[in-house]
Amino acid sequence: MAARLLLRSAVRAATTYRTARVPVLSRGMAAGGIPTDEEQATGLEKVIMIAMKEGKDPYNMMKPKEYSGTKDDPHLVPSITNKRIVGCVCEEDNTAVIWFWLHEGEAHRCPSCGSHYKLVPHEMPH
């Protein structure tokens, strides 16, 4: 009984106070299908999608480039400060990680295997 009364009053209120028709949303299944990820993305997700289309990697999500690790071609380590701690797995099947500090400037050498690493400045995308 109460539900019927509420339904009637809601219908009456909707029909008497509505003077202009409310436009139907144009982006639905009938108007062109489901929106794509690019159309729905907002904020940082949109920034990342645009950067990935341009071939950039704003948050270092992709695999880093391969370097030989010599003094002439050191492994490049991005950092937003002037120093960073680096871990080197010297051998492929080694379970120990050799940790050392890398400072801005010349390439530094791993104390165990001799691979060279160089700190490069990295700016945050936002």
Side-chain angles (χ1 to χ4, degrees), residues 45-99:
E45 183 182 12
K46 190 169 192 170
V47 170
I48 292 170
M49 286 183 153
I50 292 170
M52 294 297 267
K53 277 187 175 179
E54 294 173 356
K56 299 177 185 173
D57 188 16
Y59 293 103
N60 297 327
M61 296 185 299
M62 308 301 278
K63 183 180 176 185
K65 296 177 184 173
E66 292 289 328
Y67 297 100
S68 62
T70 62
K71 193 169 187 174
D72 297 329
D73 187 27
H75 298 286
L76 298 180
V77 180
S79 178
I80 58 172
T81 61
N82 60 354
K83 62 181 178 179
R84 185 170 177 181
I85 194 164
V86 176
C88 180
V89 179
C90 298
E91 298 173 7
E92 193 172 313
D93 57 346
N94 196 357
T95 57
V97 179
I98 307 297
W99 296 99

